[in-house]
Amino acid sequence: MQNIILSKSNKYIKGTVNLTGSKSECNRALIIEALSNGKVKVDNVSDSADSVLLAGILRSSVGCGQLAVSSGEALTTHDSPLTTVDIGPAGTAMRFLTAYYAIQDYEVILTGSQRMKERPIGVLVDALRQLGAHIGFEEQDGYPPIKLKGGFEQLSRQISIKGNISSQYITALLLIAARLPLGLELHIEGELTSRPYVEMTLAMLQTAGIQHSWTDNVITIVNQDFATTSLYIEPDWSAASYWYAIAALADEAEIFLTGLTAYSLQGDSVITEIMANFGITSQFKDGGVHLLKEAKPLSRKIFDMKECPDLAQTVIVVCAALGHEATFTGLETLKIKETDRVLALQTELAKMGVKLIEKGQVYKLDCSEKFIPERMFINTYHDHRMAMAFAPLALVVPQLEFENGPVVDKSYPAFWDDLEKQGFAVETVEG
């Protein structure tokens, strides 16, 4: 395993960064493209490992049920009529492909990494079964691997799903809705977590010609055809968040992130508002956003991450590094991500004396025993965001070592290279 040793000789940063396409947008667009029968094309495909994998799986799946696909191997043809698709650790792909394959005519076994087999999918499977899908659990009820048996015949157009579990379940259903013979009337029960991700899905579908109505807690999409169009993938605001964190921990910072606009489908663009609390101004001009660090007292004490959970690790680490005892809400979904991100944060922050205390659904940082070690070893738990959220600490801690550096390939393959271009010392060692 390759580890990364990271350091920065000063606390000044000035430069330009070109970000990859958004993984969240790209994965939605790839499913839309596959469902459109060639009418929709995707431009600026993300080079994230998850998107590259999903694109390969969908290319192999169109019109053929005889390919076995693995997250770590070349595509190979087998004589068996049963497809096995291994998506590795790609959670978005697992949810989206579950819905996609549910309405195909061939049989598929959908599996993934050991961690993926621990991430629940029962809520989505139950909803698809109500619609008419034939899906079975191969090992443990409610969890991958699953077997999708084909022969879909729609039984109902109306289903209900809880809004506080994962917006990816809702997105998976919305993506296939226009292809359902009876369409879909989706009732969201209770409060909707990560609402911007659902809005992103509907906006991308609308660009592809799919109309919808959203009244109160009910989203309706009738059976309809896709339009002939292209979907352009914006640069990734989640990736941008790490550069905002770097700016927040620097003494002086001027960073230009190309391609980003003030009007984005991505919920994580809210990082501009969050980081304004840390003295980071965002100026949109010259075809991107200019970040500038300004002196500003930090006063905001409560951060609600319900609509942007992928930013939680980044913001929590910044607060911990600054000794800012903030309170966080909206972290419920973090426990079923690539790892239990709450536990991972608690474990790694303890290495600098900071506690993340959980009381019900409220989390508070206790920095009373915070110290800055000369060196920290960061366990990444096979989670790309753990690596990237902790990387800005190199502006505070003299030396960081990250377990499994290539884990960032999942969403931002050029991350370490981009850091090196901006003056960080990056060394690859055998772990």
Side-chain angles (χ1 to χ4, degrees):
M1 182 182 295
Q2 289 185 327
N3 290 0
I4 293 290
I5 296 177
L6 186 68
S7 61
K8 184 88 165 65
S9 60
N10 56 54
K11 298 187 69 172
Y12 172 80
I13 183 165
K14 181 177 182 178
T16 297
V17 181
N18 300 306
L19 299 172
T20 186
S22 163
K23 178 169 73 78
S24 296
E25 283 190 25
C26 189
N27 288 354
R28 286 161 171 77
L30 290 170
I31 295 290
I32 291 170
E33 181 182 52
L35 290 168
S36 75
N37 295 326
K39 289 187 174 182
V40 178
K41 301 298 181 184
V42 182
D43 293 332
N44 194 35
V45 174
S46 170
D47 62 4
S48 67
D50 279 12
S51 295
V52 171
L53 171 66
L54 181 57
I57 289 171
L58 290 169
R59 280 196 303 270
S60 74
S61 300
V62 177
C64 179
Q66 298 184 348
L67 291 177
V69 183
S70 168
S71 61
E73 302 171 2
L75 308 184
T76 54
T77 304
H78 293 269
D79 293 333
S80 169
L82 179 63
T83 302
T84 297
V85 176
D86 181 351
I87 55 80
T92 305
M94 173 60 75
R95 277 73 179 264
F96 292 0
L97 286 173
T98 295
Y100 175 80
Y101 285 131
I103 61 172
Q104 305 304 315
D105 289 332
Y106 47 87
E107 293 190 356
V108 177
I109 291 179
L110 191 55
T111 188
S113 65
Q114 183 55 45
R115 172 59 183 168
M116 189 57 59
K117 294 179 180 181
E118 298 167 358
R119 297 178 68 179
I121 201 165
V123 170
L124 177 57
V125 168
D126 287 345
L128 289 165
R129 283 172 169 172
Q130 290 175 45
L131 289 173
H134 306 288
I135 308 174
F137 297 106
E138 290 291 279
E139 294 178 10
Q140 182 180 357
D141 281 356
Y143 297 84
I146 56 176
K147 183 176 181 179
L148 301 105
K149 301 175 184 177
F152 179 84
E153 292 184 13
Q154 191 168 1
L155 303 175
S156 170
R157 71 184 294 265
Q158 184 182 113
I159 55 172
S160 296
I161 192 166
K162 291 181 179 179
N164 65 348
I165 300 176
S166 173
S167 64
Q168 290 180 9
Y169 299 155
I170 295 170
T171 283
L173 293 165
L174 294 175
L175 288 171
I176 65 168
R179 280 286 179 225
L180 299 176
L182 305 178
L184 179 66
E185 185 179 299
L186 180 62
H187 292 250
I188 300 170
E189 298 177 358
E191 190 174 19
L192 175 58
T193 299
S194 305
R195 183 186 180 98
Y197 286 99
V198 176
E199 292 173 340
M200 174 199 293
T201 303
L202 292 171
M204 294 181 71
L205 283 168
Q206 190 157 331
T207 300
I210 303 303
Q211 306 302 313
H212 71 276
S213 66
W214 190 345
T215 305
D216 296 326
N217 68 329
V218 180
I219 303 173
T220 303
I221 297 178
V222 301
N223 175 270
Q224 57 195 291
D225 288 330
F226 288 88
T228 301
T229 188
S230 63
L231 294 174
Y232 175 77
I233 308 304
E234 302 174 300
D236 192 354
W237 270 106
S238 304
S241 72
Y242 308 116
W243 294 99
Y244 274 87
I246 286 168
L249 296 184
D251 288 341
E252 298 179 54
E254 293 180 52
I255 304 172
F256 180 55
L257 304 176
T258 62
L260 293 169
T261 67
Y263 305 99
S264 173
L265 297 177
Q266 300 170 58
D268 284 356
S269 62
V270 74
I271 193 66
T272 60
E273 299 171 26
I274 293 173
M275 286 298 172
N277 296 282
F278 298 86
I280 309 304
T281 62
S282 302
Q283 260 195 321
F284 291 92
K285 62 180 184 179
D286 307 322
V289 60
H290 294 263
L291 315 188
L292 183 66
K293 173 72 177 283
E294 297 179 346
K296 180 179 181 179
L298 180 53
S299 58
R300 181 171 171 181
K301 285 290 188 180
I302 300 176
F303 295 87
D304 184 0
M305 313 305 293
K306 177 182 65 182
E307 295 191 344
C308 52
D310 282 348
L311 300 180
Q313 291 148 291
T314 305
V315 178
I316 289 171
V317 171
V318 168
C319 287
L322 296 174
H324 184 59
E325 296 190 333
T327 297
F328 298 87
T329 57
L331 306 187
E332 290 74 38
T333 61
L334 266 63
K335 295 185 177 183
I336 59 167
K337 297 287 188 176
E338 282 80 349
T339 186
D340 180 339
R341 288 177 170 170
V342 171
L343 178 59
L345 281 165
Q346 291 169 328
T347 303
E348 299 311 303
L349 290 175
K351 295 174 181 177
M352 54 189 296
V354 176
K355 298 175 183 176
L356 180 62
I357 300 169
E358 178 179 357
K359 291 185 178 179
Q361 295 186 336
V362 177
Y363 300 79
K364 181 175 175 55
L365 279 176
D366 178 356
C367 302
S368 60
E369 298 179 11
K370 174 197 158 192
F371 64 94
I372 302 300
E374 283 297 310
R375 187 178 188 281
M376 276 181 69
F377 183 90
I378 306 297
N379 292 95
T380 59
Y381 307 91
H382 305 290
D383 184 351
H384 55 132
R385 301 209 187 280
M386 281 300 292
M388 293 185 287
F390 276 84
L393 276 184
L395 290 158
V396 178
V397 178
Q399 187 179 86
L400 300 174
E401 181 173 350
F402 293 86
E403 169 209 30
N404 187 17
V407 73
V408 302
D409 292 354
K410 181 177 175 67
S411 62
Y412 188 173
F415 181 67
W416 303 118
D417 290 339
D418 284 350
L419 286 178
E420 193 165 31
K421 290 174 184 176
Q422 301 307 322
F424 288 78
V426 180
E427 180 185 356
T428 301
V429 297
E430 290 302 318

